[in-house]
Amino acid sequence: MIERLEQLAEEANQETAKAENVKELDKVRVKYLGKKGPITEVLRGMGKLTSEERPKVGQKANEVREEIQKQIDEKTSALERKELESRLEAEGIDVTLPGKPLKRGARHPLTAVVEEIEDIFIGLGFGVTEGPEIETDYYNFEKLNLPKEHPARDMQDSFYITEELLLRTQTSPVQARTMEERNGRGPVKIVCPGKVYRRDDDDATHSHQFMQIEGLYVDENIRMSDLKGVLEAFVKKYFGEERSIRLRPSFFPFTEPSVEVDVTCGICKGGGCRICKHSGWIEVLGAGMVHPRVLEMSGFDPEVYSGFAFGMGVERFAMLKYGIDDIRHFYTNDVRFLNQFKRV
Ligand code: DAH
């Protein structure tokens, strides 16, 4: 019986050595160590042995069983290690391979233009302020010298939410809000960028939502020449030193006098072409000296303070600078359009 056990150990160890994977090893384990296996059978036959032989055979059987189990365990961990190694090798990352290029986004051209214009005015000593897009009729119109029923309200068709609330039609209400916060003490020197809304039909040059930048400079002794100097400096910085401006009389209820500001055409340099309708000039913004009533309504003494204000359309400035022919490009977010502004 001892020999039989040794022979079994030998056989089992050979099969264990040959096994190529964990499944095969399991079969070896069941075959030799299982309840129906040969060792169990040997143990069952022990009854026929003499009391002298019995402990020896029992001890041997246990040794053999332990030996087989040990061999199987060792082989199992060896196989598992090998498997892990080959998996790590297969999944390994070659850090020397070139990476996949990431698609980088770009600042939206309108954001870029707003920031550029802000920077120019910051350079001229202006601060940047914002105001709400949902505005009251009071700030959007009344505080800007546009009482109810004033015919000039027709210049800006509005989206009303209630009788008193609307989507602001201009950034000018931020003027009134800012002056109010300053409690009648100057200087107030700000630009306010933001979205505005008008009931316009969308086409190549109109959009029901667009962006404006408002400017306001109120202090003692501010004159029309200051307005002209600041706007000229701004236009030259934005469009180029070779460009100049002219002021034409106009009307806005919140300024007196009011002007329309033109810049020399960038295509024909003032000679006249299709873009400037052969005038050599392109209208870019509205401006004027803040109306004494507007100063007064926002708590500034018009006997002491004077100021100028201006308002410009951001899309228009972007279109003129980059030769964009349709305002709708800014809102459709076609990446072929947006990608052209990666360096702006
Ligand atoms: N708010 C005017 C508009 O939307 C633009 C404007 C004109 C603003 C003259 C001003 C200004 O501050 O002084 O048409």
Side-chain angles (χ1 to χ4, degrees), residues 156 170 172 175 198 212 214 252 254-255 286-288 309-311:
Q156 302 176 358
Q170 49 189 354
S172 305
Q175 285 187 26
R198 293 197 193 165
Q212 282 189 337
E214 190 79 13
F252 297 102
F254 28 87
T255 44
F310 55 88

Side-chain angles (χ1 to χ4, degrees), residues 144 155-156 169-173 175 196 198 210 212-216 227 251-260 285-290 308-313:
L144 295 166
M155 288 162 75
Q156 302 176 358
T169 58
Q170 49 189 354
T171 42
S172 305
Q175 285 187 26
V196 299
R198 293 197 193 165
F210 58 103
Q212 282 189 337
I213 296 179
E214 190 79 13
L216 177 70
L227 166 65
F251 171 78
F252 297 102
F254 28 87
T255 44
E256 182 56 40
S258 302
V259 292
E260 214 91 57
L285 51 85
M289 299 309 290
V290 181
F308 66 76
F310 55 88
M312 64 185 100

Side-chain angles (χ1 to χ4, degrees), residues 104-119 322 330 333 335 337-344:
R104 283 185 48 182
R107 274 190 310 176
H108 192 278
L110 287 180
T111 308
V113 167
V114 167
E115 286 175 4
E116 185 184 353
I117 295 176
E118 279 176 6
D119 283 348
Y322 299 109
F330 292 116
N333 287 330
V335 288
F337 172 73
L338 297 175
N339 276 341
Q340 298 176 56
F341 294 90
K342 283 216 165 138
R343 286 165 176 278
V344 171

Side-chain angles (χ1 to χ4, degrees), residues 258-274:
S258 302
V259 292
E260 214 91 57
V261 180
D262 297 343
V263 57
T264 41
C265 177
I267 307 290
C268 61
K269 314 285 178 223
C273 68
R274 198 174 51 84

Side-chain angles (χ1 to χ4, degrees), residues 142-145 175-176 179-180 183-186 188 216-222 253-256 289-309:
E142 289 201 35
K143 275 226 145 184
L144 295 166
N145 201 25
Q175 285 187 26
M179 277 192 279
E180 238 179 39
N183 293 321
R185 269 196 305 278
V188 183
L216 177 70
Y217 186 8
V218 174
D219 204 351
E220 292 174 30
N221 299 317
I222 299 293
F254 28 87
T255 44
E256 182 56 40
M289 299 309 290
V290 181
H291 197 291
R293 274 191 54 76
V294 172
L295 287 172
E296 206 169 12
M297 276 190 282
S298 291
F300 276 76
D301 182 352
E303 298 295 328
V304 179
Y305 286 101
S306 55
F308 66 76

Side-chain angles (χ1 to χ4, degrees), residues 140-262:
N140 193 79
F141 290 127
E142 289 201 35
K143 275 226 145 184
L144 295 166
N145 201 25
L146 272 148
K148 292 212 159 79
E149 317 305 332
H150 193 291
R153 282 194 178 203
D154 290 348
M155 288 162 75
Q156 302 176 358
D157 243 346
S158 323
F159 287 113
Y160 273 90
I161 297 165
T162 65
E163 284 262 309
E164 274 304 315
L165 277 183
L166 72 160
L167 296 178
R168 68 177 175 194
T169 58
Q170 49 189 354
T171 42
S172 305
V174 189
Q175 285 187 26
R177 287 181 174 274
T178 311
M179 277 192 279
E180 238 179 39
E181 279 169 18
R182 301 291 169 90
N183 293 321
R185 269 196 305 278
V188 183
K189 201 175 179 187
I190 48 149
V191 287
C192 342
K195 293 191 190 99
V196 299
Y197 304 83
R198 293 197 193 165
R199 282 183 52 179
D200 271 332
D201 288 330
D202 293 359
D203 61 25
T205 53
H206 295 86
S207 170
H208 61 281
Q209 177 215 296
F210 58 103
M211 289 194 81
Q212 282 189 337
I213 296 179
E214 190 79 13
L216 177 70
Y217 186 8
V218 174
D219 204 351
E220 292 174 30
N221 299 317
I222 299 293
R223 294 175 297 232
M224 192 100 183
S225 50
D226 297 311
L227 166 65
K228 190 172 182 196
V230 163
L231 290 181
E232 189 154 64
F234 159 65
V235 161
K236 283 181 184 292
K237 267 260 181 284
Y238 182 79
F239 286 116
E241 283 300 322
E242 72 286 1
R243 311 286 280 271
S244 52
I245 60 166
R246 74 174 181 189
L247 309 186
R248 276 182 297 112
S250 184
F251 171 78
F252 297 102
F254 28 87
T255 44
E256 182 56 40
S258 302
V259 292
E260 214 91 57
V261 180
D262 297 343

